[in-house]
Amino acid sequence: MEMSELVRDQVTPAQRPSQPPDPHVLLAQLGCEVARTLSAAIERVNALAATGRIDRASLKALREEVDHARRAGIMGQQVSRFASGRVQVARERLDLTGLLLEALRQRRREFEARGAEVRQFFAQAEVMNDATLTFSLLQSLFDWALEHAVSRIDLKLDIKPWPAQARLTCAFSHRQADSRTAGDTAWLESDVSLLETMSWCLLQQIAVALELTIYRHDTANRTTLTLEFPETVVPRIDGLSTSELDDPSQHAHNSQPLAGRHALVVASRREVRGLVRDALRPMGLMIDFVNSVDEAVEFCRDGLPHAVVYEAALAGERFEKLRADMLTEVPTMAFVQIAEHGKAFEVLNLGSHQFASVGRDALLESLPAAMMFELARSESVAQQ
């Protein structure tokens, strides 16, 4: 029997509540990932200190290593929050196909920057679930796939005939086929454990919170993940339709409603950056800061955020070109302006687009509401 024929399956039924991750295992996993990436980063810093020079490729690699360590830490916090049961799910009718396309559009630059090809086949599917958490699930899926894929990533969304359930499948090779050796009999223990990084832990915990069924099928070279959505809205057939599943009583407060979203803050003043950080910290956003529009342009080369918060003083011709480029690529991009003066929270018009504006003195009180407004409006546009 060929070694590549050996498989390992993981199944987490939606009907069975997931056990919280062992905190000791989680801490060891987090420490291992952070230490591994920071060790590589320190080697590059030492080389820089010794030579006084660093080339563009090494600088990019250093940035990626530090960013990976930071992301691992953030994911660890999110896994802990989901495992604690503090996240409540608000069910509503979702266009899963549209949400998936929007998530892919948000990450297109990152896929291209990493040379990752994505082959997609999406059927039309609607489900009942939490919009924010479902979007976070898709982003976590892409994080996990990008971390491990060594070739094309295959994405498929279809409807399983019985029971009728939307089914999202992600498949990729996690190592090259010719990388195996004849004596490689421990691939189950080594390769599979390498797949179960913090991005996998977070993906798994979000899926469990959404009560999805998870199947993972691993071979020596390839892994296939399937997520099934039990509450799929079945299309109207022969005059019959499913009953309306949306129950307003299910909508609940989420302690970190924007977890999994990414905001870029363009602000030249340290005090403004501090106010923004304090205002958005409870929302669960991942935030990056740049000092100028030129830095924002450079930052966005590798991937676009979900929202941009910027000082009005920086909104000149250069920024408007960046905004136009972003909206061309992602028409639902959210923008929140920080006005030096004016009303606490207002909605402004720019051509055919609207965006929120918050006065600097009201950032702590009004910025969270403005961000929720902008991202909710973007989701509404994406699903139309």
Side-chain angles (χ1 to χ4, degrees):
M1 179 175 62
E2 291 292 331
M3 189 63 61
S4 59
E5 294 174 359
L6 295 176
V7 298
R8 167 176 160 170
D9 290 326
Q10 289 192 350
V11 183
T12 303
Q15 294 80 8
R16 187 185 68 206
S18 174
Q19 294 298 318
D22 185 307
H24 299 290
V25 174
L26 185 61
L27 183 61
Q29 174 70 32
L30 177 59
C32 178
E33 285 191 44
V34 172
R36 184 170 61 245
T37 53
L38 288 185
S39 293
I42 289 174
E43 289 182 8
R44 296 185 193 279
V45 172
N46 289 338
L48 171 62
T51 63
R53 290 181 295 179
I54 186 169
D55 57 37
R56 182 178 294 271
S58 296
L59 183 60
K60 181 180 179 181
L62 176 61
R63 175 181 170 180
E64 289 177 349
E65 288 158 352
V66 174
D67 186 60
H68 182 86
R70 183 190 69 150
R71 285 177 177 271
I74 293 172
M75 289 177 185
Q77 292 177 328
Q78 292 176 324
V79 169
S80 175
R81 187 171 68 91
F82 279 103
S84 71
R86 285 183 287 143
V87 177
Q88 300 184 45
V89 179
R91 294 161 60 250
E92 58 183 293
R93 186 165 179 160
L94 301 177
D95 176 3
L96 183 58
T97 309
L99 208 61
L100 184 55
L101 289 170
E102 174 65 16
L104 273 173
R105 196 157 39 236
Q106 289 275 4
R107 303 292 290 271
R108 185 176 69 84
R109 288 193 181 187
E110 185 176 354
F111 278 99
E112 291 177 351
R114 300 193 184 191
E117 178 189 356
V118 179
R119 184 174 67 177
Q120 60 191 62
F121 172 80
F122 299 154
Q124 185 61 39
E126 291 187 329
V127 300
M128 300 298 301
N129 226 316
D130 186 290
T132 300
L133 293 184
T134 301
F135 197 83
S136 297
L137 173 84
L138 299 178
Q139 296 291 355
S140 297
L141 174 63
F142 298 156
D143 286 338
W144 180 63
L146 281 169
E147 184 179 353
H148 299 289
V150 298
S151 61
R152 185 187 67 212
I153 300 171
D154 294 324
L155 292 172
K156 181 179 180 181
L157 176 64
D158 62 355
I159 304 292
K160 188 172 70 172
W162 185 258
Q165 293 182 354
R167 178 173 55 187
L168 176 60
T169 303
C170 176
F172 55 85
S173 295
H174 54 81
R175 67 173 178 178
Q176 301 293 347
D178 58 0
S179 67
R180 291 182 293 111
T181 62
D184 188 7
T185 59
W187 74 270
L188 279 174
E189 290 73 21
S190 60
D191 285 26
V192 170
S193 64
L194 290 176
L195 289 171
E196 294 174 353
T197 52
M198 291 306 302
S199 58
W200 166 253
C201 294
L202 179 58
L203 168 61
Q204 191 175 41
Q205 286 297 313
I206 299 176
V208 169
L210 291 171
E211 298 185 341
L212 308 185
T213 304
I214 315 167
Y215 300 91
R216 206 180 89 204
H217 177 87
D218 301 318
T219 69
N221 311 113
R222 193 166 177 81
T223 188
T224 301
L225 174 67
T226 301
L227 300 168
E228 293 186 355
F229 294 75
E231 291 189 89
T232 298
V233 180
V234 181
R236 191 181 296 269
I237 301 174
D238 295 331
L240 300 177
S241 65
T242 56
S243 58
E244 180 57 54
L245 295 175
D246 196 12
D247 180 358
S249 67
Q250 293 294 325
H251 294 269
H253 174 70
N254 193 333
S255 61
Q256 288 187 314
L258 299 181
R261 301 301 180 88
H262 179 202
L264 176 65
V265 179
V266 188
S268 59
R269 291 175 291 182
R270 178 177 298 177
E271 62 271 21
V272 173
R273 295 196 295 269
L275 287 171
V276 172
R277 182 185 292 108
D278 291 341
L280 296 181
R281 182 180 290 116
M283 310 297 287
L285 275 163
M286 184 172 73
I287 307 173
D288 278 296
F289 294 88
V290 294
N291 295 312
S292 67
V293 177
D294 287 338
E295 289 183 16
V297 172
E298 184 64 28
F299 182 91
C300 292
R301 293 188 192 281
D302 294 332
L304 294 178
H306 301 104
V308 177
V309 181
Y310 64 97
E311 286 184 292
L314 300 177
E317 182 178 347
R318 178 72 165 151
F319 179 82
E320 294 306 329
K321 183 180 185 307
L322 174 62
R323 190 206 304 264
D325 290 343
M326 286 180 162
L327 289 172
T328 298
E329 188 163 345
V330 183
T332 58
M333 178 71 67
F335 290 90
V336 178
Q337 174 184 275
I338 301 173
E340 194 65 27
H341 307 287
K343 297 180 180 179
F345 174 25
E346 58 183 331
V347 179
L348 306 179
N349 292 303
L350 179 67
S352 60
H353 295 279
Q354 292 183 326
F355 63 94
S357 179
V358 178
R360 177 187 169 188
D361 293 337
L363 281 176
L364 290 176
E365 299 82 9
S366 300
L367 184 57
M371 184 65 72
M372 290 290 289
F373 169 82
E374 275 294 300
L375 289 173
R377 181 180 58 80
S378 298
E379 287 181 1
S380 176
V381 171
Q383 294 177 22
Q384 289 177 358

